[in-house]
Amino acid sequence: MGIQTSMDAVQSAPTIVDALRRADELAFEAGREPGVRSLRHLAAALASEDDVRALAAVHALGAMTDEEAGRMLAALLSDRRPYVREHAAWALSQGLPRLDAVGRLIAMVAAGGFSAMLAQRTLEGWSVPSGEVLAVALEAALVSTDDPAARARLVETLGLVRAPLATRPLIAIARDEAEDDAVREAAIAALGQRPGQPGVENTLDALMATTGRLASVARLALLDLVPPQPDAADAPRTIAQLFLHADMDAQLATAGAGDNGGIATLLVRLGDALVADGSGLVERVITLGRGSVDQAASDLLDVAGTRGGHRFGRVPMAPSPVPSAAAWGLRVQARRGIRRVLRAAGRVDVLHLRMADVGSLAAADVARELGIPTVFTLAPDPHSVITSLEESGQLTREGFGEADLREHYWFRARLVQSLAAGAEHTVLFPRPTLADDMKRLVGVDITTHAERHTVVAEGVDLAVVDDAVSRVAASAGTGDAPTGLAELERMLGELPPERRGLTLLVSVGRLHRVKGMASLVEAWHASALAERTNLLIIGGDLTHPSVDEREQIERIDAIVPAAERAARGLLLPGHRPNGVTALWLAAARLGLPGLAAPAGVYVCASIKEEFGIALLEAMATGLVVVAPDAGGPATYVEPGRTGFLAPTWDRERFVAAITEALAHATLDPDAVAERSHAMVAERFTIQAMAATLAPLYQAVASQDADLARLAVLPS
């Protein structure tokens, strides 16, 4: 195609998502045509006000095996635009080590943030051919800073340098009681990756004999040093799945807090359903989530000592929870924790990855190292978000760089591409135009090698929903509310008399801008809906909010001040366990005498919703729903019968859809409830999902076993 033609294609692409895909073609052409002419075209693009074009040029430079291109790329580490510096750190990972870039990459590591993760990945890749140079440079950087957070990141990076030269300073830092604990912890964890090196085991033994968190970290590091055991011939068929940004337990006690959203509920219910399935195709499920250092140690014993059932393996990533958007800097901790759990499990037949986040990034590395085949749930995320924001005018090519600096769209899109390419099989959510969407948004043609792609609908546990509905119905008018419902009754009872008995609008989910909770409050408050309904938003940690949660809370408070919430009919209780949420949804449908009218409506205000577990739970409860008109909900919401679809970013049309839903909910509520429940029962139960996935996992595991046998060379 040629460098100029490829650059023209990037510039003239009709959408940002299409331009990102054309940038791959530009990089290919740049790698094929290095030289002065190509460099001139890329230099011109770098000076452009079109951020997408400029960043495409950065990655094209990274693809060139040209000394001048390398110099230009290294120089971009000092560019005035922070997003160009960030992409330069990433693009440098494609080439050989450059001494003129090492110092600035180390400075980026020390500074922290997403850029630090990219710089660290590049340095890690360079550590094999240039380990001793990097070890000396990192030691020098440690001398120049006394900031504990910066030192911890530098020590962690030093731990990735496998050259023996790095072991001595790591031992010294681990033993230094004058050093900050976070810095010592980074050194201790790194020693667990250095088996057989002098002084490592003695150091860890001595530290484990102390007390506190460092002793627990040393214990895990010692376990990391133990060589893996060979797989037992009769090992149980084991599937591993993960989401490292949730505190997952069998009771789903923290559902809705922080990042404990629908994915956490899904994984817990799915793990239970897979092992309960009568086929016996899956004997053990290991679900990995975040947890403390002490939980991680005890979980290893449970995982290693059991041959069946649904087990949980905690991965310690930080002393306190970190939201997913800010967790990229925990890549190394995540990778070590995932490796630890999977090694303890013995044979793991398949690892299912679901999101383009730091957990999947780290887990993919571990799967390659341990030879575990992966299944990846392929969804157009962040592609759908980019498209929605561009269509609404909130994202432009000229402003893409700053947006990418916050949301990491380019990296996440490439990660989706990489995870899909590396997976033995991909799973897809149902969408009305699935094949077209995957090709248009993600660039994946699922009609080619269709046998490697399977459409799997997510599912809900109807037993929980049905139990909640029956309990609320049985308690009507008795004054004997089920456990968990009394709190909702109390909140409604504290509303002004004129607001008691109004219909409830309900939304369940994380307090995150993608979920649109603040936008929902804004649309409700600015319309006639506020006069005829009360709004109940279930989700978020209001006591210790994350950065994302705080942003949504502040937006909500600007619309309805916290002190005025009850007076205006806004109920914001925070997250509640899954069972309690089910009761509250049932109360919204059936009503609570004197407190809430029946025939409430469930509203999903997400910018994008790939599928929508909470939506399905609401429909199974019998509520009329309002959902985004793009993505998964369009495959199961029947407009005018079970719900209404609307562009959630268009306030006028969104409010109109909610108004229609309220009217529809009162026409024949029993018929609507029966229709919605029947649809979920027929198509979207967790048992049906497990029944589809179990043979898929077996096929992937069997194919991998056949490949392993074929790979054994004859003697």
Side-chain angles (χ1 to χ4, degrees):
M1 182 184 290
I3 191 82
Q4 184 171 0
T5 304
S6 296
M7 182 59 77
D8 289 344
V10 172
Q11 188 169 1
S12 62
T15 67
I16 291 174
V17 166
D18 191 53
L20 297 186
R21 202 158 51 249
R22 301 294 179 95
D24 285 345
E25 298 169 7
L26 173 66
F28 174 79
E29 292 297 333
R32 197 170 64 86
E33 292 185 19
V36 174
R37 180 172 168 274
S38 293
L39 290 174
R40 287 172 181 165
H41 282 293
L42 297 179
L46 285 167
S48 170
E49 293 184 359
D50 179 342
D51 292 348
V52 177
R53 186 173 175 232
L55 293 178
V58 174
H59 290 282
L61 285 172
M64 296 176 73
T65 55
D66 182 289
E67 176 60 25
E68 183 58 29
R71 278 196 293 269
M72 285 178 63
L73 190 56
L76 291 177
L77 293 174
S78 301
D79 193 89
R80 60 178 176 80
R81 297 162 291 182
Y83 50 88
V84 169
R85 298 197 297 270
E86 185 169 276
H87 279 257
W90 175 16
L92 280 164
S93 66
Q94 300 177 66
L96 295 172
R98 294 196 60 86
L99 295 182
D100 55 350
V102 167
R104 280 169 290 177
L105 289 172
I106 289 175
M108 291 177 78
V109 170
F114 186 75
S115 298
M117 184 275 289
L118 295 176
Q120 186 186 66
R121 284 181 82 227
T122 295
L123 291 171
E124 182 179 9
W126 290 357
S127 69
V128 175
S130 301
E132 293 192 355
V133 170
L134 292 181
V136 171
L138 286 162
E139 277 198 83
L142 282 166
V143 172
S144 67
T145 181
D146 57 5
D147 176 65
R151 289 180 63 79
R153 287 187 289 271
L154 292 172
V155 169
E156 180 182 77
T157 308
L158 180 62
L160 299 175
V161 178
R162 295 304 176 90
L165 187 65
T167 303
R168 179 192 54 77
L170 289 171
I171 289 175
I173 292 168
R175 288 181 173 273
D176 186 357
E177 295 183 4
E179 185 67 83
D180 185 89
D181 279 359
V183 184
R184 296 181 70 193
E185 181 176 330
I188 294 166
L191 291 176
Q193 313 303 309
R194 312 180 87 79
Q197 297 200 19
V200 168
E201 284 196 41
N202 289 341
T203 297
L204 294 176
D205 282 334
L207 289 165
M208 194 177 73
T210 62
T211 58
R213 180 179 172 87
L214 293 182
S216 299
V217 174
R219 180 186 181 194
L220 292 178
L222 279 167
L223 291 172
D224 290 341
L225 291 174
V226 177
Q229 300 298 310
D231 295 341
D234 61 344
R237 176 65 53 81
T238 298
I239 307 303
Q241 54 181 3
L242 80 158
F243 182 61
L244 299 189
H245 311 294
D247 306 297
M248 286 183 283
D249 60 87
Q251 291 73 42
L252 291 168
T254 58
D259 290 315
N260 295 291
I263 182 66
T265 302
L266 176 75
L267 294 187
V268 172
R269 302 291 192 216
L270 178 60
D272 292 344
L274 282 167
V275 296
D277 178 54
S279 68
L281 296 177
V282 175
E283 297 170 280
R284 183 173 58 160
V285 173
I286 300 171
T287 298
L288 288 79
R290 71 183 174 205
S292 69
V293 174
D294 291 331
Q295 283 177 317
S298 62
D299 285 350
L300 291 177
L301 296 174
D302 183 48
V303 167
T306 56
R307 294 183 51 81
H310 186 187
R311 300 316 207 210
F312 293 88
R314 271 73 170 195
V315 175
M317 304 203 321
S320 57
V322 176
S324 58
W328 294 99
L330 303 176
R331 176 185 68 97
V332 174
Q333 295 98 308
R335 188 170 64 191
R336 289 172 181 162
I338 293 166
R339 181 193 295 115
R340 190 180 298 125
V341 173
L342 297 185
R343 284 180 55 189
R347 190 181 76 195
V348 174
D349 295 278
V350 177
L351 174 61
H352 194 149
L353 307 176
R354 283 184 165 83
M355 307 186 83
D357 62 6
V358 69
S360 293
L361 174 65
D365 286 346
V366 176
R368 281 191 292 271
E369 176 190 339
L370 301 183
I372 301 171
T374 61
V375 169
F376 178 55
T377 295
L378 175 61
D381 181 14
H383 313 75
S384 293
V385 174
I386 296 171
T387 301
S388 295
L389 292 174
E390 187 176 18
E391 288 177 350
S392 66
Q394 298 177 63
L395 181 64
T396 64
R397 294 172 70 110
E398 291 75 20
F400 181 83
E402 291 295 336
D404 188 68
L405 201 59
R406 295 189 304 270
E407 302 294 342
H408 325 307
Y409 290 133
W410 200 305
F411 184 85
R412 287 163 54 202
R414 289 295 171 270
L415 180 56
V416 168
Q417 194 175 35
S418 172
L419 293 172
E424 295 297 319
H425 203 95
T426 59
V427 167
L428 304 114
F429 297 128
R431 296 171 70 95
T433 54
L434 178 62
D436 288 344
D437 286 352
M438 288 298 109
K439 193 167 186 178
R440 175 175 58 88
L441 295 173
V442 188
V444 174
D445 184 356
I446 62 173
T447 62
T448 302
H449 297 292
E451 72 280 0
R452 291 189 56 212
H453 310 285
T454 302
V455 178
V456 180
E458 291 186 341
V460 301
D461 189 343
L462 278 181
V464 174
V465 174
D466 293 346
D467 178 67
V469 172
S470 64
R471 289 170 66 196
V472 172
S475 70
T478 66
D480 185 20
T483 301
L485 191 59
E487 183 188 3
L488 178 59
E489 291 184 336
R490 177 186 59 75
M491 287 190 296
L492 292 170
E494 292 173 354
L495 296 177
E498 67 273 13
R499 298 208 69 92
R500 294 176 209 152
L502 295 181
T503 304
L504 276 175
L505 296 180
V506 189
S507 193
V508 180
R510 297 175 293 124
L511 291 184
H512 189 283
R513 58 191 172 278
V514 171
K515 294 299 181 182
M517 294 304 191
S519 298
L520 172 58
V521 174
E522 197 170 48
W524 168 78
H525 182 260
S527 69
L529 293 171
E531 300 302 319
R532 56 183 295 206
T533 65
N534 294 316
L535 176 58
L536 171 63
I537 294 178
I538 308 168
D541 187 340
L542 305 186
T543 306
H544 304 289
S546 67
V547 174
D548 292 324
E549 289 173 327
R550 191 176 301 113
E551 183 266 340
Q552 288 289 290
I553 293 168
E554 288 173 355
R555 279 188 60 193
I556 291 170
D557 286 347
I559 303 161
V560 180
E564 300 176 21
R565 287 176 189 164
R568 300 196 193 181
L570 175 61
L571 304 172
L572 204 66
H575 75 91
R576 290 296 180 270
N578 190 244
V580 172
T581 298
L583 288 170
W584 291 10
L585 290 176
R589 174 199 156 191
L590 300 173
L592 294 172
L595 297 172
V601 166
Y602 184 89
V603 183
C604 173
S606 298
I607 296 173
K608 61 95 186 175
E609 194 66 63
E610 295 305 332
F611 201 70
I613 290 295
L615 269 166
L616 284 174
E617 289 176 335
M619 295 181 74
T621 302
L623 289 166
V624 175
V625 302
V626 177
D629 62 353
T635 64
Y636 56 79
V637 176
E638 195 175 354
R641 288 174 61 80
T642 59
F644 295 84
L645 300 170
T648 53
W649 48 267
D650 186 323
R651 186 191 300 176
E652 184 176 338
R653 293 165 67 186
F654 186 39
V655 168
I658 298 172
T659 304
E660 283 189 271
L662 285 166
H664 184 71
T666 62
L667 294 179
D668 192 350
D670 290 339
V672 170
E674 184 178 343
R675 188 181 301 123
S676 294
H677 185 278
M679 183 276 298
V680 176
E682 182 181 344
R683 298 168 54 193
F684 299 116
T685 65
I686 197 69
Q687 290 76 20
M689 183 181 184
T692 304
L693 284 174
L696 186 157
Y697 292 148
Q698 182 192 41
V700 170
S702 297
Q703 181 183 14
D704 187 67
D706 291 342
L707 289 173
R709 283 191 291 271
L710 290 172
V712 177
L713 297 176
S715 55

